Every structure is written in structure tokens, then in C-alpha cells.
Amino acid sequence: MELQEIYGKETVRARIKELADEIKKWLPKNETLVCLCVLRGAIMFFVDLVRELEEYDVRLDFVSLVSYGDATSSSGKVTLLQDIRENVEGKRVLIVEDIVDSGYTLQYLKRFFSDKNVKEFKIACLLDKPCRQVDVNADYTAFKLDSDRYVVGYGLDAAQKYRNLNGIYEVK
Ligand code: 5GP
């Protein structure tokens, strides 16, 4: 498998700082924020993003979702493998996702939080692909891909490989 770098380590780091600055405009300093990592792909993005929010009262939580389909198509069936543990009622929640492709996973997450009585939730995603099956979008997006490519690195995998790479690569 051949990998071609799309975004290098320094580009990713700089863009996450910018994104954190945008997110800070939404956050009052005196409020608790629950940052929710959507496992497993969002892990690197999540860790680097929450480290930029040092001056806030941030709580960390995790969900694990599985979306059935193969590398090139999604069936639209999303299942929750691991639920949240924090009480999110009345709190602001930032959902941190790896990549939005068909949109089914994001749609699932939006529905999941719509009956949790949170104060407000927003979604941050690392990457956005151009081919949606359902019309949903993140509130904050680090990088928009202009064509439908399969990407790995910085948390994203191909058969569980490459998650530990510091940059984002296209699989050729
Ligand atoms: P959805 O199709 O529901 O928007 O995206 C579902 C999930 O598929 C994403 O959260 C991500 O884990 C995975 N996915 C979609 N596109 C890619 C890709 O290009 N690379 C990798 N590694 N995973 C992807």
C-alpha cells in the first residue's frame, strides 16, 4: 500500500490551533465543556484539540461507534459500542469526530444528543469528504477534501494500521 502525504505534521498542528481559537469564541470561560471523542479514529485530533483548551473546565468522555460498510461505501447502519459516562444534562458538549463521509455517523450523533437535554452541542471534525448521503455538516472542520479519497494517519486507519502517523495521507 502506497501512501502520499496530504497534510504534514506541522500543517495539522497549526490548523488545530486555529480551530481551537474558533471554538473558544463559542465558549464562556466559566462554563463546563464536555469534549466527546468518537473512538477510535478521532483520538489524535481529540487529544491535540483539548490540549488547546487548557484555560477551560473541560471534561473528557468517549463513545465508540461502528458503521457497517466497506472502505468505499457506508450502509447507513451505525451502532453504539460504548456509551457516554458523563452527565451531559445542561452542559455544553463538543463532539469530536474524525471524518464526515456519507454523513450517517454524524446524523446518528446529532440524534443521540437531541434528547439528552444538553445546553448546546457542536461538532468538530478533522476532515470533510464531498459525497454526502444525508445532509449533515460539522460546525467546525479542520480540512475539507475536494475529492473522494481514502485517507489514513493521525488516528485514521486502513485495517487498523497507520493510526499513529503524525500526518494525514492518501492511500494510493
Ligand atoms: P460516514 O460515512 O458515516 O460519514 O463515516 C463513517 C466513518 O467511516 C468515519 O467516522 C470514519 O471512521 C470512516 N471513514 C470514512 N472515510 C474514511 C477514510 O477516508 N479513511 C478512513 N480511515 N476512515 C474513513
Side-chain angles (χ1 to χ4, degrees), residues 38 41 67 71 73-74 78 97-106 129 132 145 148-153 155-158 163:
V38 184
S67 153
S73 70
S74 172
V78 179
E97 171 60 317
D98 56 358
I99 185 164
V100 189
D101 184 12
S102 67
Y104 288 125
T105 306
L106 217 59
K129 278 191 175 179
R132 287 285 190 287
L145 296 172
D148 191 12
R149 312 184 254 180
Y150 195 80
V151 294
V152 297
L156 291 152
D157 75 311
R163 291 193 196 273

Side-chain angles (χ1 to χ4, degrees), residues 16-153:
I16 287 171
K17 273 196 196 307
E18 280 177 10
L19 207 67
D21 287 340
E22 276 182 54
I23 292 167
K24 285 177 190 179
K25 291 181 192 150
W26 166 62
L27 285 178
K29 281 251 169 65
N30 57 347
E31 268 186 44
T32 299
L33 174 73
V34 178
C35 287
L36 184 89
C37 177
V38 184
L39 294 169
R40 286 180 269 186
I43 183 71
M44 301 294 187
F45 176 43
F46 178 77
V47 168
D48 286 346
L49 189 62
V50 300
R51 283 200 288 210
E52 296 296 329
L53 304 174
E54 233 182 351
E55 64 271 43
Y56 294 86
D57 174 18
V58 169
R59 315 288 164 94
L60 307 184
D61 207 350
F62 303 85
V63 283
S64 182
L65 297 179
V66 62
S67 153
Y68 294 97
D70 56 34
T72 53
S73 70
S74 172
S75 67
K77 183 166 163 39
V78 179
T79 304
L80 186 72
L81 293 182
Q82 182 187 318
D83 207 339
I84 55 170
R85 291 168 64 182
E86 283 292 307
N87 177 7
V88 291
E89 213 173 304
K91 298 193 185 117
R92 282 177 200 255
V93 178
L94 181 70
I95 301 167
V96 184
E97 171 60 317
D98 56 358
I99 185 164
V100 189
D101 184 12
S102 67
Y104 288 125
T105 306
L106 217 59
Q107 184 183 53
Y108 179 95
L109 286 164
K110 284 195 163 187
R111 286 182 182 154
F112 181 83
F113 278 98
S114 62
D115 62 355
K116 294 261 185 291
N117 293 321
V118 301
K119 180 165 190 177
E120 193 180 7
F121 69 85
K122 296 230 185 211
I123 299 171
C125 79
L126 177 68
L127 290 149
D128 186 301
K129 278 191 175 179
C131 308
R132 287 285 190 287
Q133 300 291 322
V134 283
D135 186 23
V136 286
N137 287 299
D139 301 286
Y140 306 101
T141 299
F143 300 105
K144 267 185 188 284
L145 296 172
D146 52 10
S147 59
D148 191 12
R149 312 184 254 180
Y150 195 80
V151 294
V152 297

